[in-house]
């Protein structure tokens, strides 16, 4: 597409305004986000583990995640991408909103301290540990068409169809399948606005910890990302570890890192009929 000079000027004006608003929002962020977790850091005490499971290459997994429980996703081979959908277990019409997760927090980069938000402005999951910050909240998961384009003819499972099956298993249906976020998908945007894949940003043993901030229904899909340049369909499993997390402290990073997160947790407290410690009364 070739833009006219008028259109280029309009794009530039919108970009300037966005950057002004982003700078204003980040200026009021109470806390800076930390560096990634080390791959040998954050060990899980054995007596806190509730369940462990392996998701084979190309398959999906579903669970009900109780509030306060944490799900660790481990990229055991370093070549997997895991896509996620989440719904409020009490009312599945409330679900993960990847667009609000990005725009409300002024960042497309998911990392330790960020929060996955619902379409009701509430916190669904907090990222409490993360070794890579190499995740995608923009492009979405694979489909039959993207697999065909990348791998040619063959029986290659894809994230879209996996999520339709997962929704059915959870008592939901096709209309409940919404845009996902994908972990261990090192997607970035270059100076020309193009998506680029940075394979060096994900490594064997990477993990991300997701703490449930309300009772949730979860679906995961272990299928290659549509931008993954690998010429062959990856045959790599991932490990899931569900464990009991400590009760969040008053200065919990996810709850206090940004003004937007503070509001999201206040919304949670109002919804759950609680008083959030430190909130105005």
């Amino acid at each position: 597409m070739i833009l006219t000079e008028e259109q280029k000027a309009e794009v530039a004006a919108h970009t300037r305004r966005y950057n002004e608003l982003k700078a204003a929002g980040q200026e009021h962020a109470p806390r800076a986000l930390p560096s990634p977790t080390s791959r040998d850091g954050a060990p899980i005490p054995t007596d806190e583990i509730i369940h462990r499971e392996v998701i084979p290459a190309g398959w999906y997994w579903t669970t009900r995640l109780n509030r306060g429980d944490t799900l660790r996703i481990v990229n055991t081979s370093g070549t997997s991408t895991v896509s996620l959908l989440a719904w409020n277990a009490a009312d599945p019409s409330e679900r993960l909103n990847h667009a609000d997760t990005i725009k409300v927090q002024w960042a497309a980069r998911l990392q330790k301290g960020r929060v996955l938000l619902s379409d009701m402005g509430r916190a669904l999951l907090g990222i409490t540990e993360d070794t890579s910050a190499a995740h995608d909240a923009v492009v979405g998961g694979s489909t039959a068409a993207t697999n065909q384009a990348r791998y040619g003819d063959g029986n290659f499972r894809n994230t879209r169809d996996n999520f339709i099956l997962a929704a059915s298993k959870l008592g939901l249906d096709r209309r409940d399948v919404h845009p996902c976020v994908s972990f261990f998908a090192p997607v970035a945007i270059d100076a020309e606005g193009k998506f680029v894949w940075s394979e060096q940003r994900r490594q064997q043993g990477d993990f991300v910890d997701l703490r449930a901030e309300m009772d949730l229904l979860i679906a995961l899909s272990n299928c290659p990302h549509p931008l993954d340049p690998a010429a062959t369909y990856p045959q790599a499993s991932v490990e899931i570890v569900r464990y009991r997390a400590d009760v969040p402290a008053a200065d919990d990073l996810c709850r206090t890192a940004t003004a937007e997160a503070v509001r999201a947790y206040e919304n949670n407290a109002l919804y759950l009929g609680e008083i959030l410690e430190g909130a105005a009364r």
Side-chain angles (χ1 to χ4, degrees):
M1 179 180 179
I2 300 176
L3 300 179
T4 65
E5 292 303 316
E6 182 179 355
Q7 289 171 325
K8 291 178 181 178
E10 184 177 3
V11 169
H14 287 315
T15 300
R16 285 193 300 271
R17 182 56 177 157
Y18 171 81
N19 288 332
E20 290 170 0
L21 292 171
K22 179 180 179 180
Q26 293 182 336
E27 181 182 349
H28 292 91
R31 302 175 65 184
L33 297 183
S35 300
T37 308
S38 63
R39 292 184 182 87
D40 59 354
I44 304 173
T46 303
D47 59 354
E48 296 299 322
I49 295 175
I50 301 170
H51 179 73
R52 305 182 84 116
E53 189 158 340
V54 171
I55 307 177
W59 287 87
Y60 68 92
W61 182 76
T62 63
T63 193
R64 178 189 173 103
L65 195 62
N66 295 327
R67 182 185 181 205
D69 287 350
T70 293
L71 200 63
R72 174 169 291 185
I73 308 171
V74 185
N75 195 354
T76 48
S77 69
T79 60
S80 296
T81 290
V82 180
S83 300
L84 174 143
L85 295 184
W87 301 264
N88 178 346
D91 179 7
S93 67
E94 180 179 10
R95 70 278 306 273
L96 171 69
N97 189 307
H98 80 300
D100 283 355
T101 294
I102 295 170
K103 67 184 182 183
V104 170
Q105 298 178 99
W106 296 102
R109 185 181 185 186
L110 301 178
Q111 62 185 103
K112 181 176 179 177
R114 292 292 182 204
V115 180
L116 303 186
L117 299 175
S118 80
D119 51 9
M120 299 298 291
R122 292 189 274 261
L124 296 184
L125 294 155
I127 303 177
T128 56
E129 301 290 349
D130 176 38
T131 61
S132 69
H135 314 301
D136 168 45
V138 179
V139 178
S142 61
T143 65
T146 62
N147 277 357
Q148 169 72 28
R150 175 68 64 185
Y151 309 112
D153 295 331
N155 185 24
F156 302 114
R157 297 179 66 95
N158 69 82
T159 288
R160 171 67 181 174
D161 289 342
N162 274 355
F163 280 153
I164 292 173
L165 294 171
S168 176
K169 182 172 286 189
L170 293 169
L172 306 173
D173 60 31
R174 184 185 295 264
R175 65 183 176 181
D176 296 301
V177 176
H178 49 279
C180 64
V181 297
S182 297
F183 297 99
F184 317 122
V187 176
I189 300 175
D190 66 15
E192 297 180 352
K194 297 178 181 178
F195 292 119
V196 293
W197 185 267
S198 303
E199 182 63 34
Q200 71 277 6
R201 291 180 56 208
R202 65 175 181 177
Q203 303 291 330
Q204 183 177 14
D206 275 333
F207 63 85
V208 61
D209 285 12
L210 306 172
R211 183 183 64 208
E213 307 298 0
M214 61 173 67
D215 293 345
L216 298 173
L217 301 176
I218 297 289
L220 300 179
S221 173
N222 178 22
C223 288
H225 191 274
L227 296 184
D228 190 331
T232 57
Y233 192 95
Q235 296 296 323
S237 60
V238 295
E239 184 181 21
I240 303 301
V241 184
R242 179 178 178 176
Y243 68 95
R244 298 179 185 86
D246 293 334
V247 176
D251 64 346
D252 177 76
L253 177 63
C254 292
R255 298 183 175 213
T256 60
T258 66
E260 293 79 13
V262 171
R263 287 195 292 272
Y265 283 97
E266 288 173 350
N267 291 339
N268 279 42
L270 181 63
Y271 174 70
L272 297 169
E274 300 174 347
I275 296 176
L276 189 64
E277 185 175 352
R281 291 170 170 78

